[in-house]
Each structure stands twice: as structure tokens, then as C-alpha cells.
């Protein structure tokens, strides 16, 4: 009987890991682990799951609408930007598994400065297969974001306070 109980417990654990990344609320604590999990959802590594990300939480739902909520790092804010030329969609809360941008797997130059003009990021970045560029920025700040693509430029001010948008779909390259 003990063998059967242990086997069932192991099977349930495996199913939880497959469906939701983990069933225990204590399974992911470290910021790097959360970031890796977010990246896996962004690149489509998991099937039959949906994942969205607010300013404070990663919410993962299975086909049966079972939900798992992960707290995001307290000092970093996730934002995903879909620069576009012609096509965009209105959005505020990024769906890691559903939002689709226009410019898929393209190279961009991304420059981000804080309110004092200090450079936070200045590098070439490639959009994911969903057309978005995923970023982790310091929380509770305002930034000037400039994205360049084949001679076109988009500029926008974004902020990383609780309740701010995690999906930026308003940066048209002109």
C-alpha cells in the first residue's frame, strides 16, 4: 500500500511540473528562477498553458483553468515591447503565450535611459518569435526608451510602478 501511495504522489508531482511548472507555492523563490520561467513561456516552451504577467505576478493557467501564481522580483519589473511599423494591438497586461507583434525575430537597437539621463541599456536585441522584446528593468522608475530598426525610430516614456503596463504596443517605428 505504501508503494502505491508513493507512486501516486510521484505521478501527481510529475503532472504538476508538466502542467504548471510546479504545484507548490514554494517551488520558485529566486528572482533568476522566475526570470527563467518567464522566458520559457515567452519563447513557447510550454504547450497547452497560458501565461500572463502583471506588474507583480506571473499567472499560469492550464487547459482546465487551474491557475498558478508566482510573485515577481521585488526590485525588477518585467515589460515586453512590440515595436511596429503597420500593425499592433491594444494591450496592457502582457500575455506571454498570446500576444503577437508585427516584427518577428528582427534585430533592433534598444536604448533606455532613466530620468537623470543615465543609460540603463544600450544594445542590439532580437525580438522573439512573438515579435516582442522582453526586458527586466528596475522598479519604481520612469524611463525613456528608444528603439531603432532599419533607420526607423520609436521613442516612448515608460514607467515601472505597481499597476503599470507590462505590454507596450504603442511604439510605432517612423
Amino acid at each position: 500500500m505504501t508503494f502505491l501511495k508513493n507512486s501516486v504522489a510521484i505521478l501527481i508531482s510529475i503532472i504538476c511540473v508538466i502542467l504548471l511548472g510546479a504545484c507548490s507555492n514554494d517551488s520558485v523563490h529566486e528572482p533568476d528562477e522566475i526570470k527563467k520561467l518567464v522566458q520559457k513561456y515567452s519563447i513557447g516552451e510550454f504547450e497547452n498553458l497560458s501565461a500572463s504577467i502583471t506588474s507583480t505576478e506571473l499567472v499560469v493557467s492550464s487547459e482546465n483553468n487551474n491557475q498558478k501564481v508566482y510573485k515577481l522580483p521585488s526590485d525588477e519589473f518585467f515589460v515586453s515591447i512590440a515595436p511596429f511599423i503597420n500593425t499592433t494591438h491594444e494591450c496592457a497586461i502582457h500575455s506571454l503565450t498570446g500576444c503577437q507583434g508585427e516584427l518577428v525575430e528582427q534585430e533592433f537597437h534598444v536604448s533606455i535611459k532613466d530620468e537623470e539621463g543615465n543609460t540603463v541599456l544600450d544594445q542590439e536585441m532580437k525580438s522573439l518569435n512573438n515579435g516582442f522584446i522582453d526586458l527586466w528593468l528596475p522598479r519604481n522608475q520612469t524611463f525613456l526608451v528608444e528603439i531603432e530598426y532599419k533607420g526607423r525610430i520609436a521613442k516612448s516614456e515608460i514607467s515601472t510602478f505597481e499597476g503599470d503596463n507590462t505590454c507596450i504596443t504603442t511604439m510605432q517605428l517612423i
Side-chain angles (χ1 to χ4, degrees):
M1 187 67 158
T2 303
F3 175 77
L4 182 59
K5 284 182 183 178
N6 288 343
S7 297
V8 169
I10 290 169
L11 182 58
I12 289 171
S13 295
I14 291 170
I15 290 170
C16 287
V17 167
I18 291 170
L19 289 179
L20 297 175
C23 281
S24 167
N25 286 336
D26 298 326
S27 61
V28 178
H29 285 291
E30 297 299 318
D32 287 342
E33 291 177 36
I34 293 288
K35 288 175 157 183
K36 286 177 186 174
L37 190 58
V38 167
Q39 181 184 21
K40 287 180 179 187
Y41 287 109
S42 283
I43 62 173
E45 198 166 294
F46 299 109
E47 293 183 18
N48 302 320
L49 295 173
S50 66
S52 61
I53 191 163
T54 71
S55 62
T56 58
E57 299 175 328
L58 166 64
V59 180
V60 180
S61 301
S62 69
E63 285 182 324
N64 334 352
N65 291 323
N66 292 326
Q67 278 194 344
K68 173 69 180 150
V69 178
Y70 300 91
K71 291 286 182 196
L72 298 181
S74 61
D75 61 341
E76 292 180 283
F77 187 98
F78 176 86
V79 64
S80 197
I81 301 173
F84 73 99
I85 296 171
N86 298 308
T87 307
T88 191
H89 67 280
E90 285 189 35
C91 195
I93 305 301
H94 186 55
S95 171
L96 298 166
T97 55
C99 284
Q100 183 63 51
E102 175 185 7
L103 300 170
V104 173
E105 297 179 342
Q106 297 296 308
E107 293 287 334
F108 298 89
H109 184 85
V110 180
S111 174
I112 301 176
K113 294 185 178 187
D114 66 16
E115 288 181 293
E116 289 79 41
N118 299 313
T119 299
V120 175
L121 179 78
D122 188 21
Q123 68 182 50
E124 300 297 317
M125 298 185 79
K126 188 174 183 177
S127 60
L128 301 171
N129 62 3
N130 64 1
F132 280 81
I133 300 168
D134 289 352
L135 302 165
W136 288 93
L137 298 172
R139 281 190 179 275
N140 302 319
Q141 294 186 39
T142 300
F143 299 96
L144 176 61
V145 178
E146 183 173 301
I147 298 176
E148 188 272 329
Y149 173 74
K150 295 184 178 180
R152 296 174 179 254
I153 296 176
K155 293 182 184 181
S156 183
E157 186 177 276
I158 66 169
S159 57
T160 59
F161 295 92
E162 187 169 332
D164 282 344
N165 292 351
T166 57
C167 191
I168 308 297
T169 58
T170 55
M171 293 189 69
Q172 185 170 20
L173 295 153
I174 49 176

